[in-house]
Amino acid sequence: MIRRAAVSCLLVILAGAAAFAQTPNTLTPEERAAGWTLLFDGRTTAGWRGFQKPAFPADGWAVDDGALKCLGRKGGDILTTASFADFEFTWEWKLSPKANTGVKYFVDEKRGNATGAIGHEYQIIDDEHYDAEPLSAKQKTGAWYDVMPPGAATPRPIGEWNQSRLIVRGTHVEHWLNGTLVVQYETGSAASAAGIAASKFKDVAGFADKIPTPILLQDHNTVAWFRNLKIRELPAAAAAAQAPPLSVLPAKVYHSALIPYKGDETKKARRFFYGTEQSGYALEMHETVLGPGVETHPPHVHPHQEIIIVIEGTVEVSIDGRTETVEAGSVIFYEPNRPHNLRNAGTTPCRYYVVELRGKRD
């Protein structure tokens, strides 16, 4: 058994060494067959431009020894000229001491300004030595920046290459660092909403939404290198395994007995439908059961409207900081962008239906 384990360990080490031995910025025949393409050829800046600019920055970035190098001269963020919906993106990166950068996605160029883009960010930073400000867990390498901290993240020492992976499938997102999953979330989940509500992005309209996106490399006025930027678009079937694509709702009956609950015993939910109306506006309905004393999430805001119909139990509702307790049979309406939350105020489980009236393709 010891000999077999040693052989297995050696094979893993050799496989990792082989991955690094591959010439940077190239694709193997197997990668090509799997649909991977290069976002950077190792020699030119083709396929990249400045954020909110038609061309690549004249200063601040350079191609250096097969890497895209941010020179720390306020050249501005750069992004791909192509956009992606469901995808798997991998890259290698290294930092200079005290450096700070990141990879952003769900980027809308109507948001942000000359100081940088606004989007979800895979944080990359010198965790140990960055001294411009104290870092919270949500600002360390691998985090969904300022929203969700990484777990078990182990970046390599400054000056060494790291490997990162970003996966977007439907509403599901994953951050990987050196072979370890460090962050995963659903874009429309209560956990994501709570994280956003406690972040600097709480007032950014549409920040929570998944949208087609370029891949953006951040210029944070420090020196960083990127190479082996590879991406493959995931087919619709792969995305559908996580979340069905938004489609026009059919005229049919949605039997509760045929729709399973998901979640733990303190907070369970089941989605009856999620799709668009004939008008093209998104519509969702789900049922939630909360255990005694359990709240759905901390107070948060979102751009869509909600109608809540209390079926069983007693709930405590907060809107704009004002709290009210209501019984079964009550109806609650949440306006867009109003801070709110809901808690089971009784001693037995409470049950309610939620109807969400969203924007087009929201």
Side-chain angles (χ1 to χ4, degrees):
M1 290 294 293
I2 294 176
R3 182 178 179 182
R4 182 179 300 172
V7 170
S8 298
C9 182
L10 178 60
L11 290 174
V12 170
I13 294 172
L14 290 175
F20 270 107
Q22 181 182 335
T23 302
N25 310 307
T26 62
L27 295 173
T28 65
E30 293 77 14
E31 286 175 322
R32 292 186 185 279
W36 290 94
T37 59
L38 290 173
L39 292 179
F40 170 59
D41 62 16
R43 305 180 310 277
T44 71
T45 59
W48 294 83
R49 61 179 176 84
F51 174 69
Q52 295 181 338
K53 297 176 181 176
F56 197 84
D59 189 26
W61 290 84
V63 177
D64 175 49
D65 193 24
L68 274 171
K69 182 180 179 181
C70 181
L71 304 176
R73 298 179 189 164
K74 299 184 179 181
D77 299 341
I78 61 172
L79 45 72
T80 57
T81 55
S83 293
F84 308 92
D86 294 283
F87 59 90
E88 182 176 4
F89 171 54
T90 66
W91 72 101
E92 294 176 6
W93 56 270
K94 67 178 181 178
L95 299 176
S96 61
K98 301 183 181 181
N100 179 7
T101 184
V103 169
K104 294 185 182 182
Y105 54 100
F106 302 157
V107 171
D108 181 348
E109 289 191 86
K110 296 176 183 177
R111 298 190 295 231
N113 50 41
T115 63
I118 294 176
H120 295 202
E121 179 180 347
Y122 182 118
Q123 169 76 319
I124 299 172
I125 196 169
D126 183 349
D127 292 338
E128 298 299 322
H129 305 105
Y130 185 74
D131 59 5
E133 62 177 322
L135 296 179
S136 71
K138 295 186 292 184
Q139 294 172 310
K140 293 192 173 183
T141 297
W144 173 12
Y145 173 73
D146 207 41
V147 178
M148 194 171 290
T154 53
R156 297 192 174 102
I158 295 302
E160 294 187 15
W161 288 103
N162 292 264
Q163 295 174 314
S164 289
R165 181 183 304 269
L166 168 66
I167 299 175
V168 175
R169 287 182 176 140
T171 59
H172 184 74
V173 178
E174 297 178 5
H175 290 190
W176 292 74
L177 175 64
N178 295 323
T180 299
L181 177 63
V182 295
V183 165
Q184 60 178 325
Y185 64 92
E186 301 291 334
T187 55
S189 70
S192 294
I196 293 170
S199 78
K200 64 175 65 176
F201 307 110
K202 61 182 182 296
D203 297 323
V204 178
F207 180 79
D209 300 342
K210 175 199 173 180
I211 57 175
T213 181
I215 302 298
L216 182 143
L217 307 183
Q218 184 186 43
D219 179 355
H220 208 281
N221 303 326
T222 52
V223 178
W225 294 260
F226 301 85
R227 73 179 187 186
N228 275 344
L229 297 102
K230 304 176 182 180
I231 198 164
R232 63 172 176 172
E233 297 188 73
L234 298 176
Q242 295 292 334
L246 204 61
S247 58
V248 175
L249 293 170
K252 60 177 290 187
V253 175
Y254 297 85
H255 288 278
S256 63
L258 302 179
I259 304 172
Y261 277 110
K262 294 183 179 180
D264 59 34
E265 289 304 311
T266 65
K267 186 168 68 173
K268 301 191 298 183
R270 60 182 171 196
R271 177 184 284 182
F272 286 86
F273 53 71
Y274 176 53
T276 59
E277 306 173 69
Q278 295 295 330
S279 66
Y281 286 87
L283 182 66
E284 176 181 349
M285 178 177 176
H286 59 266
E287 178 186 14
T288 297
V289 176
L290 293 181
V294 176
E295 67 176 357
T296 52
H297 40 60
H300 74 295
V301 300
H302 46 62
H304 60 264
Q305 305 169 77
E306 286 185 352
I307 298 171
I308 294 180
I309 305 167
V310 183
I311 305 300
E312 296 176 2
T314 304
V315 298
E316 180 185 86
V317 184
S318 173
I319 302 176
D320 290 336
R322 297 190 299 273
T323 300
E324 186 173 348
T325 300
V326 299
E327 306 290 340
S330 301
V331 175
I332 304 159
F333 175 65
Y334 292 145
E335 293 179 76
N337 302 312
R338 300 286 290 275
H340 64 273
N341 74 321
L342 185 149
R343 183 180 70 88
N344 182 349
T347 58
T348 60
C350 70
R351 182 166 64 99
Y352 57 88
Y353 295 119
V354 180
V355 179
E356 297 185 0
L357 310 171
R358 299 171 178 257
K360 285 191 176 183
R361 308 297 293 176
D362 185 4

